[in-house]
Amino acid sequence: MYSSVIALVILIMFSAYFSATETAFSALNIIKIKNLAQSGNKRAKLTLELYNDYDRLISTILVGNNIVNILSTSLATALFVLYFPKNGVAISTVVMTVVVLVFGEVSPKSIAKEMPEKFAMISAPFIKLISVCLTPITRLFVVLKNLFAKMIGVKSDNTITDDELLTMVKEAQADGGIDEGEGDLIKSAIEFYDLDVSDILIPRVDMIAIDYECTKEEIYNIFSETRFSRIPVFKETVDNIIGVINQKDFNFSVMNGDKSLDDIIKPAAYVVGNMHISDLLTLLQKKKTHLAVVTDEYGGTEGIVTLEDVIEELVGEIWDEHDEVIVDYTRLAENCYRISCNASTDKITELFDIELETDSATVGGWVTEMLEKIPEEKDSFTYQSLTVTVTKADERRALEVVAALKVIDEQ
């Protein structure tokens, strides 16, 4: 009897081991294991090797778990029938169901879930040994699995989408794995490749350009007032930009030298609004320029975009001592904000958790689209549960709005 009880305990321990191992490999953070493997951790390398052949791994674990569970159930039934001939089978069924669930399944799986990487690396050598011993059986199961997968048309998709990466970053921030600044930088880098030039350009109505016919004094005053280091130059109309001049070149070579404006004008780079800003960055680096002219479908000037605009999409706003600090929004009350119309429409989504169905890149464009006319002060509209009121506008566009979210009480 004692030897049978000891054997039964050992079998339950093996059941717990296989159950915990299954959970550990299922909940494994593969990135952590890869980092450990690259740093030379032998257990991590073996764990990664087993994980990469997941079909064989899971077959080994399940076959092993079923073998020990069947053996333990058979042994327990024999023991209970020996001492309880009439009700031995029923008693064995009840007792083993409770024991296997508590000690062989639930408890070990719960423990392994809390430390999957550590447990997987601890169990990796033994699982490797069992896998080798059960090779004929596991290969048969892998073949059957692949056959069933083809029959029902299952296709594996292990690719990670941008949204999934962003969720992983948010979880890492929440868990304290990375701080807020690191998380924001990673999120900016992920979203960087989804942005087009039209999302970050300085629109035509806001851009500063110099007329080729301007005098040296007029150009000097424009540089002094704007504090810009580079300004595009046009002939006759802003749709005919002929190049870009640098403030240092102008001061040293034209204003305080003997060169003409033609001598310092550098060719402008031309891009279209639907170009990805990642491609724009490559273009600006290749042409060794900090400014590009954005053209529309008719060849006219839609606006300009600078290298600083591109970099700010990665690292956030860059202010110097001459910049006028522009605030995208100001909180007025709970779920109520004053928002600049130059702000991205993403700001509405961020503040109110509302998806906007619009092609406009800015709040101002969205407001114009919703009103279907040039916005005027006190114009308002409702979008889903959001009320938007124009609080500042000029003769061409809205400049500022107040947006408030109506909260519906659920009773």
Side-chain angles (χ1 to χ4, degrees), residues 127-315:
I127 286 295
K128 179 67 176 178
L129 176 63
I130 297 297
S131 177
V132 172
C133 295
L134 297 178
T135 295
I137 300 175
T138 56
R139 281 186 177 176
L140 174 62
F141 280 111
V142 171
V143 170
L144 290 174
K145 175 262 179 186
N146 292 334
L147 180 61
F148 290 144
K150 288 181 179 180
M151 289 174 61
I152 62 177
V154 174
K155 294 183 179 179
S156 60
D157 184 9
N158 297 322
T159 58
I160 300 177
T161 65
D162 289 352
D163 289 339
E164 290 171 339
L165 281 175
L166 290 172
T167 301
M168 291 169 63
V169 173
K170 289 178 182 177
E171 290 180 352
Q173 281 182 291
D175 294 340
I178 57 177
D179 60 35
E180 184 177 352
E182 292 172 332
D184 290 342
L185 184 59
I186 295 171
K187 285 187 283 187
S188 296
I190 294 171
E191 294 170 345
F192 183 77
Y193 292 91
D194 293 331
L195 294 173
D196 295 333
V197 170
S198 59
D199 295 323
I200 65 169
L201 63 78
I202 300 168
R204 177 190 176 108
V205 293
D206 292 332
M207 62 182 280
I208 302 297
I210 294 172
D211 191 334
Y212 179 76
E213 301 299 332
C214 285
T215 64
K216 291 193 297 183
E217 289 73 19
E218 289 173 330
I219 296 175
Y220 177 81
N221 290 335
I222 292 174
F223 273 120
S224 299
E225 291 172 4
T226 62
R227 302 283 186 171
F228 291 155
S229 58
R230 295 169 182 83
I231 298 180
V233 180
F234 67 89
K235 280 187 177 181
E236 298 180 357
T237 171
V238 76
D239 287 318
N240 184 29
I241 293 178
I242 60 174
V244 180
I245 59 172
N246 187 292
Q247 184 260 346
K248 289 183 179 179
D249 292 339
F250 174 77
N251 283 344
F252 286 111
S253 302
V254 179
M255 198 68 191
N256 299 311
D258 56 358
K259 291 186 178 181
S260 66
L261 193 62
D262 289 321
D263 294 327
I264 64 167
I265 293 179
K266 296 182 179 178
Y270 294 92
V271 297
V272 292
N274 60 0
M275 171 186 273
H276 291 308
I277 61 174
S278 55
D279 296 328
L280 171 65
L281 179 59
T282 302
L283 177 68
L284 294 177
Q285 291 173 321
K286 182 179 179 180
K287 290 185 174 292
K288 298 180 181 178
T289 183
H290 286 232
L291 185 148
V293 178
V294 185
T295 61
D296 59 25
E297 59 182 313
Y298 304 106
T301 299
E302 184 177 354
I304 58 172
V305 63
T306 67
L307 182 61
E308 182 178 323
D309 296 325
V310 178
I311 295 174
E312 284 178 340
E313 291 302 318
L314 283 173
V315 300

Side-chain angles (χ1 to χ4, degrees), residues 71-143:
L71 288 175
S72 63
T73 302
S74 302
L75 182 57
T77 301
L79 281 173
F80 281 103
V81 168
L82 180 63
Y83 290 94
F84 306 97
K86 292 184 178 181
N87 302 314
V89 174
I91 296 174
S92 173
T93 301
V94 173
V95 171
M96 288 306 297
T97 298
V98 174
V99 170
V100 171
L101 278 177
V102 175
F103 299 104
E105 294 289 338
V106 178
S107 297
K109 286 186 175 182
S110 299
I111 295 172
K113 181 68 170 60
E114 298 299 321
M115 49 176 188
E117 294 80 24
K118 184 176 180 180
F119 197 94
M121 288 191 292
I122 291 174
S123 63
F126 185 70
I127 286 295
K128 179 67 176 178
L129 176 63
I130 297 297
S131 177
V132 172
C133 295
L134 297 178
T135 295
I137 300 175
T138 56
R139 281 186 177 176
L140 174 62
F141 280 111
V142 171
V143 170

Side-chain angles (χ1 to χ4, degrees), residues 21 24-34 36-37 41-54 57 115-128:
T21 302
F25 275 94
S26 299
L28 198 62
N29 187 330
I30 195 61
I31 296 176
K32 286 185 180 180
I33 296 298
K34 285 183 177 180
L36 289 171
N41 188 310
K42 293 183 179 180
R43 286 288 182 94
K45 289 181 179 179
L46 180 57
T47 302
L48 186 60
E49 178 188 333
L50 291 170
Y51 184 86
N52 287 336
D53 193 0
Y54 194 79
L57 169 68
M115 49 176 188
E117 294 80 24
K118 184 176 180 180
F119 197 94
M121 288 191 292
I122 291 174
S123 63
F126 185 70
I127 286 295
K128 179 67 176 178

Side-chain angles (χ1 to χ4, degrees), residues 52-65:
N52 287 336
D53 193 0
Y54 194 79
D55 288 343
R56 182 176 180 181
L57 169 68
I58 200 67
S59 297
T60 300
I61 294 172
L62 292 178
V63 169
N65 200 16

Side-chain angles (χ1 to χ4, degrees), residues 332-379:
L332 301 178
E334 183 71 21
N335 295 318
C336 181
Y337 295 87
R338 179 185 292 113
I339 305 173
S340 167
C341 286
N342 289 326
S344 168
T345 50
D346 290 338
K347 193 61 65 179
I348 298 288
T349 301
E350 178 184 329
L351 294 175
F352 301 105
D353 194 23
I354 292 178
E355 284 293 334
L356 303 185
E357 296 180 1
T358 177
D359 294 327
S360 298
T362 65
V363 172
W366 174 62
V367 170
T368 302
E369 179 184 321
M370 293 300 297
L371 292 172
E372 297 182 341
K373 70 183 186 70
I374 296 176
E376 299 176 358
E377 286 189 22
K378 298 184 180 179
D379 281 344

